Amino acid sequence: MAEQGNSRQVTSNQLGVHDQLLQVVEKHRQSLFKKPITTFNREAFEEAEAAWQAFGGRLILDSCCGVGASTRKLASRYPEHFVIGVDRSEDRLSRKLGELPANAVLIRADLVDFWRLAEAAGWKPEYHFLLYPNPTPKKKDLKQRWHGHPVFPSLVALGGQLESRSNWRIYLEEMQLALKVFGVEAEITALDMDEPITPFERKYHLSGQDLWQLKANLNELATG
């Protein structure tokens, strides 16, 4: 019998791009995000930076990496790169999925601090993956989505080839418009299922849900 999934579709009282999206993104683009950075996140960043320097190579960020399955697969796909998987959940990161490749590290940290530290340190990842972030689909929760959060300008400033995936197309449509505020064009396409890169991708696909991906060259900021 073929394997099946049982994941429910995203439901929301928001049926299209949030009507306050552009206003919120523009406000954050023009404002300095002053939230203090915690000692824990600063130490986590230093651990990540030391691991990267020890290995060398070009950098890949796997933000919201969950249990680290995507980090492992990206490290295998790009053996000459160093992949840093970041997630704030100790429970997810502690799950045993096998040995971590030499060109990868898993870091427990809050990305709200981690991205700002990376920006301040001048990090320029070649690729930045943001795979299946929590879409927080209730209309009132726009500012909990990454593109609606005050830290979004730091994500954009890091540059690189950004790829985000979701089973809620509206999430990616919002990110596409948010990037346009910064002068970056993004493309959204249906995701052709080959080998699932995250457990979320696998379960949503097995549940018969449509999956979408957004790709954008954040280096356009520096050249265009």
Side-chain angles (χ1 to χ4, degrees):
M1 179 180 295
E3 186 178 359
Q4 295 181 334
N6 59 358
S7 297
R8 292 179 294 179
Q9 293 277 356
V10 174
T11 58
S12 176
N13 59 343
Q14 182 185 319
L15 303 180
V17 169
H18 200 287
D19 53 10
Q20 297 297 311
L21 174 70
L22 294 180
Q23 177 182 339
V24 168
V25 175
E26 183 62 30
K27 176 183 177 181
H28 294 158
R29 188 181 72 84
Q30 297 186 35
S31 303
L32 180 62
F33 186 30
K34 297 181 179 180
K35 178 181 178 293
I37 292 174
T38 69
T39 299
F40 177 86
N41 288 318
R42 195 176 297 277
E43 291 174 349
F45 177 79
E46 291 171 355
E47 178 187 348
E49 188 165 49
W52 176 26
Q53 291 177 351
F55 182 85
R58 290 169 292 177
L59 178 63
I60 295 175
L61 281 182
D62 183 19
S63 295
C64 303
C65 69
V67 297
S70 53
T71 305
R72 289 170 168 83
K73 289 183 179 179
L74 290 169
S76 176
R77 182 183 298 178
Y78 299 99
E80 303 302 319
H81 291 66
F82 190 73
V83 186
I84 299 177
V86 184
D87 200 275
R88 67 180 182 180
S89 170
E90 182 177 15
D91 175 66
R92 287 192 290 264
L93 289 173
S94 65
R95 299 180 192 178
K96 304 300 182 183
L97 298 183
E99 186 175 354
L100 197 65
N103 64 324
V105 67
L106 297 176
I107 298 292
R108 183 187 172 211
D110 188 336
L111 287 161
V112 171
D113 285 357
F114 195 92
W115 285 339
R116 288 185 291 156
L117 289 165
E119 179 189 8
W123 283 21
K124 292 297 178 185
E126 183 168 356
Y127 299 101
H128 192 169
F129 291 89
L130 189 58
L131 304 175
Y132 302 94
N134 184 348
T136 53
K138 293 181 180 179
K139 186 173 183 179
K140 67 179 180 65
D141 291 335
L142 169 64
K143 294 181 182 180
Q144 294 183 32
R145 302 169 199 162
W146 286 125
H147 45 267
H149 193 282
V151 79
F152 189 67
S154 291
L155 182 156
V156 176
L158 286 172
Q161 301 291 332
L162 176 68
E163 180 172 341
S164 187
R165 298 181 181 184
S166 182
N167 61 331
W168 193 41
R169 185 181 170 113
I170 290 173
Y171 185 94
L172 298 182
E173 290 174 349
E174 288 186 346
M175 184 175 287
Q176 183 182 46
L177 284 178
L179 289 169
K180 198 165 187 177
V181 172
F182 291 84
V184 175
E185 297 292 333
E187 181 182 16
I188 298 173
T189 58
L191 182 62
D192 292 328
M193 183 56 56
D194 185 8
E195 179 185 357
I197 197 170
T198 73
F200 285 115
E201 186 170 304
R202 178 179 178 81
K203 73 177 185 177
Y204 294 152
H205 173 65
L206 291 174
S207 300
Q209 297 187 27
D210 292 329
L211 304 176
W212 308 92
Q213 64 182 357
L214 173 147
K215 290 186 176 183
N217 178 11
L218 299 186
N219 297 325
E220 290 178 0
L221 285 172
T223 60

